[in-house]
Amino acid sequence: MTSLPRPSQDIPDIAIYQRRESGVRSYSRSMPRQFGRAQGVWIHDSQNGRYLDFLSGCSTLNYGHNHPVLKQALLDYIESDGIAHALDLHTDAKAEFLETFESLILKPRDLDYRAMFTGPTGTNAVEAAIKLARKVTGRELVVAFTNGFHGMTLGALACTGNAAKRGGAGVPLGHVAHEAYDGYYGPDVDTAALLEQRLSDPSSGLDAPAAILVETVQGEGGLNAASPDWLRAIAAIAKRHGALLIVDDIQAGCGRTGGFFSFENMGFKPDIVTMAKSLSGMGLPFALTLFRPELDIWSPGEHNGTFRGNNHAFVTATAALRHFWSDDRFEKEVRAKGDLLGRRLDRIATRHSLSTRGRGMMRGIHVGSGEIAASVTSACFALGLIVETSGPHDEIVKVLAPLVIDEATLGAGLDMIERCVGEALNATCGIAAE
Ligand SMILES: *Cc1c(COP(=O)(O)O)cnc(C)c1O
């Protein structure tokens, strides 16, 4: 028997948040509950409600909440007075992480990268990546793509497409050209060829770029998945024009699309890769910028930071690598579940003449408008399913279930989405939980 969610009906007292927390808060507005505990795919609120989590911290909790193996590793480490903070000093925890990352991730994939521990969030990893690309090439421009999302600090924000997010910058965002992502003008326009044409034309007005920055699947921008052909073409363009290829794998990496990296088996190797979100495996802040050793021209402390390398995250990340990535079992399971997810979303789409997006366990369904998507997600929440939207108009219902979910529970959550999409499209979505 699959367990089902048990949403609580009462909205708790949220006066403290309204009184003291900045208006910048966002997810909490559409889920006005107060959460306390979480385990696996379930998150519990303070009123004994239980919710199925198809958001997973935007792919930060790929291995679920409080995975027992990761939790035990961290408890043991703290119990033994393991180092919590050490700037960038050598620590046992860091050595174990680097050795495990080398032996389980890099070597089997024939990847030779240096690891730079940046500040602990994704945007820090992107800042370091574009800063290094500019330093290495002596060029200023970064080519990013329509609907790309790369973070909120100025350099990464300049690479982000979303106008509302960009509007918060308060200063001009420059030195980035936003070119068309795969499929932007529909299936018949080869946007890689357009980019090649612009870069090859000395009079196009597009400067030679330091880097081309790309997500293989656009997490926030609408779950658009670039084809392997397109990505290979972009990699070749970068090489031809002396630009470094940066793959932002912050959301699509750590197994979300099947492999540890989202670009595996596609026939190209990025010069630089950014990782964060699920890297620690347990929702701890932890980010990494990887690059070819020849690019490592940083001088000591040139890109500094107090929280470079989070030792607790080293411990949980190492435990996650050992538990999930020492053979191909997990990867195969994720691929099978990703296929199931794809089939189920395609079925909903076919029934209602909608379309689906994405790859692996990173997929969504375009429901027509942001308004319909919002009514789908709020109806799902009323049934006890946490699911969010994505895309330029928030018109894609995005499914980011924990990768460790069993097929029955995945199916139960998708049943709820199917029902709420049907009801929202019939504009009769006044659902109460059964
Ligand atoms: C979330 C995300 C970022 C930013 O990470 P933060 O930890 O929020 O700073 C950058 N790139 C992509 C693709 C992301 O999904």
Side-chain angles (χ1 to χ4, degrees):
M1 233 338 252
T2 315
S3 329
L4 287 173
R6 185 183 60 233
S8 62
Q9 301 307 316
D10 306 325
I11 296 190
D13 180 7
I14 53 173
I16 182 65
Y17 307 105
Q18 289 166 338
R19 194 163 70 241
R20 286 294 163 199
E21 192 181 359
S22 163
V24 79
R25 65 191 187 278
S26 61
Y27 294 104
S28 56
R29 294 172 190 274
S30 54
M31 294 174 237
R33 296 293 183 279
Q34 183 164 296
F35 299 97
R37 289 181 308 116
Q39 175 49 237
V41 301
W42 300 101
I43 173 164
H44 301 257
D45 72 13
S46 53
Q47 289 164 306
N48 204 30
R50 188 170 96 127
Y51 300 80
L52 180 55
D53 188 357
F54 273 20
L55 178 57
S56 303
C58 288
S59 202
T60 300
L61 297 159
N62 282 1
Y63 314 117
H65 293 268
N66 290 315
H67 189 281
V69 172
L70 279 54
K71 183 172 75 176
Q72 195 57 51
L74 182 57
L75 287 171
D76 292 347
Y77 183 78
I78 293 175
E79 184 60 40
S80 69
D81 284 329
I83 292 277
H85 180 269
L87 297 170
D88 66 2
L89 294 177
H90 301 322
T91 64
D92 299 346
K94 185 194 281 188
E96 282 196 39
F97 171 76
L98 284 171
E99 276 163 17
T100 311
F101 194 75
E102 177 179 69
S103 65
L104 294 183
I105 302 298
L106 296 180
K107 289 236 166 102
R109 291 164 183 77
D110 196 23
L111 292 169
D112 184 13
Y113 289 133
R114 287 260 171 100
M116 173 180 182
F117 300 110
T118 64
T121 71
T123 201
N124 298 133
V126 173
E127 292 291 344
I130 59 182
K131 197 164 154 181
L132 182 63
R134 286 172 171 144
K135 188 174 160 66
V136 167
T137 60
R139 299 174 179 178
E140 287 178 0
L141 185 78
V142 171
V143 168
F145 292 95
T146 50
N147 287 311
F149 180 87
H150 301 287
M152 288 294 108
T153 51
L154 283 182
L157 185 56
C159 300
T160 293
N162 185 288
K165 301 272 191 288
R166 295 173 65 83
V171 293
L173 296 172
H175 312 297
V176 177
H178 294 266
E179 299 295 315
Y181 194 70
D182 192 17
Y184 187 70
Y185 296 116
D188 299 330
V189 179
D190 179 353
T191 58
L194 294 184
L195 177 60
E196 171 60 31
Q197 188 178 342
R198 298 240 294 142
L199 286 173
S200 306
D201 177 355
S203 197
S204 72
L206 189 61
D207 294 332
I212 301 182
L213 170 62
V214 67
E215 294 161 273
T216 65
V217 184
Q218 296 185 311
E220 300 303 301
L223 284 314
N224 308 302
S227 71
D229 281 344
W230 187 84
L231 289 165
R232 263 191 302 277
I234 294 297
I237 289 167
K239 190 169 262 174
R240 199 174 307 128
H241 295 278
L244 299 177
L245 179 69
I246 307 173
V247 170
D248 181 349
D249 230 11
I250 290 171
Q251 191 161 157
C254 297
R256 181 52 62 184
T257 63
F260 185 83
F261 296 108
S262 70
F263 53 82
E264 286 174 27
N265 303 315
M266 288 191 178
F268 69 92
K269 287 177 184 170
D271 300 295
I272 306 178
V273 183
T274 56
M275 312 280 311
K277 292 208 163 84
S278 270
L279 184 61
S280 78
M282 229 179 102
L284 299 175
F286 184 34
L288 191 56
T289 304
L290 302 167
F291 37 80
R292 289 194 286 112
E294 313 86 86
L295 303 178
D296 194 10
I297 60 166
W298 293 114
S299 46
E302 186 179 5
H303 186 85
N304 223 329
T306 307
F307 291 103
R308 282 170 304 130
N310 171 344
N311 278 270
H312 289 171
F314 285 140
V315 171
T316 57
T318 303
L321 294 179
R322 288 182 182 149
H323 188 73
F324 292 102
W325 298 100
S326 48
D327 57 35
D328 63 0
R329 236 180 348 200
F330 178 66
E331 179 170 344
K332 281 187 174 144
E333 277 171 32
V334 174
R335 289 191 196 285
K337 283 180 244 183
D339 290 345
L340 172 70
L341 172 62
R343 283 196 302 277
R344 286 293 311 265
L345 292 181
D346 283 342
R347 192 173 89 188
I348 302 172
T350 305
R351 179 166 310 154
H352 301 290
S353 307
L354 304 171
S355 61
T356 58
R357 309 281 143 98
R359 181 154 73 82
M361 282 288 276
M362 188 173 186
R363 296 180 197 254
I365 180 161
H366 188 308
V367 293
S369 73
E371 213 167 45
I372 297 173
S375 69
V376 171
T377 55
S378 66
C380 284
F381 188 69
L383 294 176
L385 176 70
I386 293 176
V387 61
E388 262 294 341
T389 58
S390 170
H393 307 286
D394 297 320
E395 70 279 44
I396 317 274
V397 175
K398 116 177 133 170
V399 180
L400 292 175
L403 305 181
V404 294
I405 195 168
D406 63 76
E407 292 197 356
T409 309
L410 178 60
L414 291 169
D415 288 344
M416 289 179 220
I417 291 175
E418 179 158 20
R419 169 178 163 189
C420 293
V421 168
E423 293 184 356
L425 290 173
N426 293 328
T428 55
C429 209
I431 300 179
E434 286 165 325

